[in-house]
Amino acid sequence: MFSKRVKVAIGMPVYNGSAYLRQALDSLLSQSYRDFQLIISDNGSTDGTAEICREYARRDDRIRYVRQPSNLGAVPNFNWVFEAANSEYFKWAAADDVCAPTYLEKAVRQLDANPDAVWCHARSSHIDQEGALLDEPGSQDVSYARRSDHTASARFAAVLLDNNGCLDSYGLIRSEAIRKTPLYLPYYGPEKVFIAELALLGRYVEIPETLFFARVTAGGSGAIASAEDQQSFIDTRKASGVRFLRLKFLNAYLNAIWRSAPGWPSRVACCFVLMRWVFQFSKWGSVFASFVRGSGLGGRNISRLKGRGRGEGGSPHEGVAQT
């Protein structure tokens, strides 16, 4: 952990992210809210990532750059940047996404004004490799407002049963809430379990403006086809494919309910939500086919493409269509 206590810390895990890294760093360092620390963990990149990070660290003393001695995999690197932080609020940042200049200022203001809120994010849109907005259905003005309900089971249902992904995993989050979770779990698609547990711990608040832009590119994590390769991407130390992944998620959701649902009535209500998730029969055919083929999970619409089509500069997740 870095000793200096700050109100906001941003963690950027990166692997071979040089293509868009400057744009991502510029968008963070130009925030109107300036009292933050940026922790970059380079997962043994082999491109120009290290040189770019060192250049920016020399120019801005808010940056702490660490190069891992070897590639740990995406999930350990995402978890490492949080564990290294020492802050009241924390945000993960991808090495190719863009935040509008007022994103942090407005997110901090929302969390300061809503002590019962656990995390905050803005409405989001997807951009292409050139930075242009995508025009596919569901790619613009993505909202997670249903996660702001005052009832834990309703928030839990909004995460498990909605189909618009978890871009809010890149929101500003209370560090004390993150510490109550197991962080990202070591298999493909952990962000949905993580956000589901945040929803059990408290409310979500949304900035009603599109201030976050998630980049969609080709040739990265979203293009990984086999379960074994997906798992190797997630954690190089546990690189064998994970079978029966949906059962892994079922167990993870049950553990989250047991840990974080506020009391027995809420736990029971959340278990009923989980039963609805289990009996989404339309998904089981593709889940079974993936198991037989040994293929991995993959999203089916544009708003599930975060962590998609690129290297670890993005999220450790994908596959939320099936989880």
Side-chain angles (χ1 to χ4, degrees):
M1 177 184 289
F2 292 108
S3 59
K4 181 184 177 182
R5 175 76 174 180
V6 293
K7 183 158 187 173
V8 175
I10 302 172
M12 178 182 283
V14 59
Y15 175 71
N16 287 353
S18 62
Y20 304 102
L21 181 56
R22 291 181 183 277
Q23 295 176 44
L25 290 173
D26 288 342
S27 82
L28 295 174
L29 297 175
S30 63
Q31 291 292 303
S32 57
Y33 184 91
R34 299 190 57 78
D35 182 22
F36 65 87
Q37 183 180 77
L38 174 57
I39 301 167
I40 305 173
S41 177
D42 178 0
N43 221 353
S45 294
T46 58
D47 64 355
T49 292
E51 290 74 15
I52 294 171
C53 291
R54 292 187 180 109
E55 172 194 334
Y56 274 75
R58 287 192 296 269
R59 288 163 32 188
D60 197 312
D61 62 7
R62 293 175 294 175
I63 297 176
R64 300 290 183 269
Y65 171 66
V66 175
R67 181 175 171 84
Q68 302 296 339
S70 62
N71 189 335
L72 307 173
V75 159
N77 207 24
F78 266 72
N79 291 344
W80 190 94
V81 290
F82 171 71
E83 291 164 348
N86 184 11
S87 62
E88 180 181 357
Y89 302 147
F90 180 83
K91 169 183 167 50
W92 276 286
D96 57 0
D97 291 338
V98 175
C99 293
T102 58
Y103 177 95
L104 272 185
E105 177 185 349
K106 293 181 178 181
V108 169
R109 187 184 305 157
Q110 287 282 5
L111 289 183
D112 284 349
N114 295 277
D116 63 328
V118 168
W119 82 112
C120 174
H121 190 49
R123 289 176 177 261
S124 307
S125 289
H126 291 84
I127 56 176
D128 64 15
Q129 297 177 83
E130 308 303 321
L133 289 173
L134 297 182
D135 57 5
E136 286 87 345
S139 67
Q140 296 183 27
D141 199 31
V142 179
S143 171
Y144 299 101
R146 277 182 17 94
R147 300 174 186 181
S148 62
D149 196 282
H150 285 273
T151 304
S153 59
R155 297 191 300 266
F156 191 65
V159 177
L160 265 66
L161 304 178
D162 283 359
N163 291 318
N164 57 350
C166 290
L167 291 174
D168 54 332
S169 61
Y170 284 96
L172 189 66
I173 312 168
R174 293 188 191 275
S175 295
E176 64 179 353
I178 300 177
R179 293 188 190 100
K180 294 176 182 177
T181 77
L183 298 177
Y184 281 131
L185 298 171
Y187 39 78
Y188 206 61
E191 84 294 347
K192 198 164 185 177
V193 176
F194 175 75
I195 290 295
E197 187 151 9
L198 291 187
L200 295 172
L201 290 167
R203 280 196 314 119
Y204 166 76
V205 287
E206 185 165 272
I207 304 166
E209 304 173 59
T210 302
L211 302 177
F212 180 76
F213 302 90
R215 195 182 304 272
V216 178
T217 66
S221 62
I224 301 173
S226 75
E228 185 170 354
D229 288 344
Q230 287 180 350
Q231 185 59 28
S232 180
F233 165 77
I234 287 297
D235 192 337
T236 58
R237 299 167 299 182
K238 301 176 182 178
S240 60
V242 176
R243 294 300 183 97
F244 300 110
L245 187 55
R246 195 167 176 84
L247 295 180
K248 292 276 188 182
F249 278 93
L250 175 60
N251 182 63
Y253 288 135
L254 285 170
N255 288 336
I257 291 170
W258 180 255
R259 272 192 307 268
S260 299
W264 279 106
S266 181
R267 287 176 182 171
V268 171
C270 288
C271 284
F272 277 108
V273 171
L274 192 54
M275 288 176 62
R276 292 170 60 193
W277 174 83
V278 167
F279 290 108
Q280 291 177 305
F281 293 113
S282 61
K283 293 185 177 181
W284 280 101
S286 56
V287 170
F288 179 74
S290 295
F291 169 73
V292 171
R293 294 192 305 266
S295 60
L297 300 180
R300 286 190 302 239
N301 67 35
I302 192 64
S303 61
R304 298 193 192 96
L305 292 179
K306 186 66 182 141
R308 67 277 142 198
R310 44 103 173 277
E312 187 193 322
S315 166
H317 53 273
E318 183 69 56
V320 294
Q322 308 296 352
T323 57

